Amino acid sequence: YQRRVHGGCAVCKGHIEDGYIESNNLRYHREHFKCMDCGESLLNQPYASNNGQIFCKNHYLSRFGERCVYCNVTLTDTLSRNYYNESVCCDHESDPLNVFCFDCGKVVPKGTGSTFPNDPRVQCESCRKNSIVNMSECLFLFEEVQRDVNKMFKLQAWGLENVIQLVEWDQLQQDAKANGSTHGITAGLTIVRIQDTLNKDFTILKRTPTVNYIHFLNGMAKEHLGEVQAHELMHAWMCLAGFPTLEPIVAEGLCELVAFNWLDQPVRRNGIIPRFRRHRMLTGKSEVYSDGVRAALDVYDYLFKIHKTPQDTMVNLLEFVKEHHRLPPINSSLKISKPPKKASNNNKSAQRRSRSAPQKTLKL
């Protein structure tokens, strides 16, 4: 553009006699082509404009750039988006308990939300108002979970109310560590005990499994606690049903399978917390819980095509696991213990679960 032109400079309004810079249909004297905030020349660096004003990259971002939902710092090229498309600094991903709601996963802006004494997690106000903090509410929800699981899969494990406790963060994490858990944050813990009946020569006559206690983290939102209760209920059921000790990925995968289906029941399927918890199961990075539930869901979907009903599908899946101590392969013919029943009208409308779209789940 080294030529004589007529017309004014967008900054000083004076005529441009020799050479100019043009940006967004506006012309500038070369000496006036500079950041409106810091005055630094923009001839040899990135710039951006807004309503005719031009800025260097840093000052444009400070004025008009996207800000971190948590700390309100202006975001540059390094940012992270969560399930709700909220933007945060990448550094915050290393401290999720203080940044994201423990229950629904939404960003809790710094200095807001609710916390617990001696507890690193944070909750948004909505989840805090919906949290379970007393035993009567916990037991009432547990009975609801028991009924739902029994209705879905005919898995009955009654009489556990006396071994349930709500415990605080520190105690639960310490108990989990003392019992060998190395799989991250613990929100529920089932401890079982094997009681041996001995002969006179001290050989084992009978082994009786019992559930010693089931601990749940105090203060979780209702749907999150229900998910954990469904998970621990499956642990208890497998204990009372005489299952052998399974590899963690198998045991936790089966428990997460039950929890996933509880979250996916029509009465709660579209809630904020159930949608987020299912998404987290399907996209998590845990080699035990996430890989386990994805493998269990794949097998469950495969067997459902054969057995047609959730009850028969789960019965055959669990029978195989109890006998072989592993999940059945999905690419070979499996022994069907009994002929599949004719699907009811409700089951005929079942849709196969999509990994990429959790809302397209099995309708029971």
Side-chain angles (χ1 to χ4, degrees), residues 173-244:
Q173 307 314 311
Q174 291 171 7
D175 289 346
K177 185 176 180 180
N179 285 277
S181 176
T182 58
H183 308 308
I185 297 169
T186 299
L189 182 65
T190 298
I191 299 300
V192 301
R193 179 180 59 192
I194 305 297
Q195 184 174 351
D196 292 335
T197 303
L198 304 179
N199 286 317
K200 292 181 179 181
D201 59 356
F202 296 102
T203 58
I204 297 176
L205 177 64
K206 181 181 179 182
R207 310 199 80 173
T208 305
T210 59
V211 178
N212 201 17
Y213 62 79
I214 305 177
H215 284 177
F216 298 115
L217 181 60
N218 188 29
M220 285 190 289
K222 180 180 178 181
E223 293 89 348
H224 189 182
L225 177 58
E227 170 203 342
V228 177
Q229 287 182 340
H231 179 107
E232 300 303 326
L233 178 62
M234 187 58 181
H235 273 303
W237 183 89
M238 288 192 294
C239 163
L240 298 176
F243 270 61

Side-chain angles (χ1 to χ4, degrees), residues 102-117:
F102 185 72
D103 299 301
C104 71
K106 291 183 178 180
V107 176
V108 181
K110 192 174 183 178
T112 67
S114 300
T115 58
F116 297 83

Side-chain angles (χ1 to χ4, degrees), residues 10-69:
V11 175
C12 70
K13 311 303 180 184
H15 288 291
I16 300 176
E17 298 293 336
D18 186 20
Y20 63 93
I21 302 296
E22 184 172 348
S23 175
N24 294 327
N25 298 321
L26 296 176
R27 294 168 179 171
Y28 302 84
H29 286 118
R30 295 178 67 84
E31 63 271 22
H32 292 156
F33 192 66
K34 56 188 178 181
C35 176
M36 301 295 293
D37 280 352
C38 66
E40 186 174 352
S41 174
L42 302 177
L43 290 177
N44 297 308
Q45 65 170 305
Y47 67 91
S49 63
N50 184 276
N51 291 330
Q53 295 181 317
I54 52 176
F55 304 88
C56 64
K57 179 180 178 180
N58 289 337
H59 285 103
Y60 179 84
L61 290 174
S62 67
R63 281 197 180 210
F64 311 108
E66 191 173 12
R67 293 183 176 273
C68 174
V69 179

Side-chain angles (χ1 to χ4, degrees), residues 224-277:
H224 189 182
L225 177 58
E227 170 203 342
V228 177
Q229 287 182 340
H231 179 107
E232 300 303 326
L233 178 62
M234 187 58 181
H235 273 303
W237 183 89
M238 288 192 294
C239 163
L240 298 176
F243 270 61
T245 301
L246 302 172
E247 290 292 329
I249 191 173
V250 177
E252 301 300 343
L254 290 173
C255 294
E256 287 287 83
L257 171 65
V258 173
F260 186 100
N261 278 278
W262 184 82
L263 289 169
D264 194 45
Q265 290 296 286
V267 68
R268 64 186 65 88
R269 174 179 300 158
N270 295 319
I272 292 175
I273 293 177
R275 288 203 313 268
F276 169 72
R277 303 305 306 178

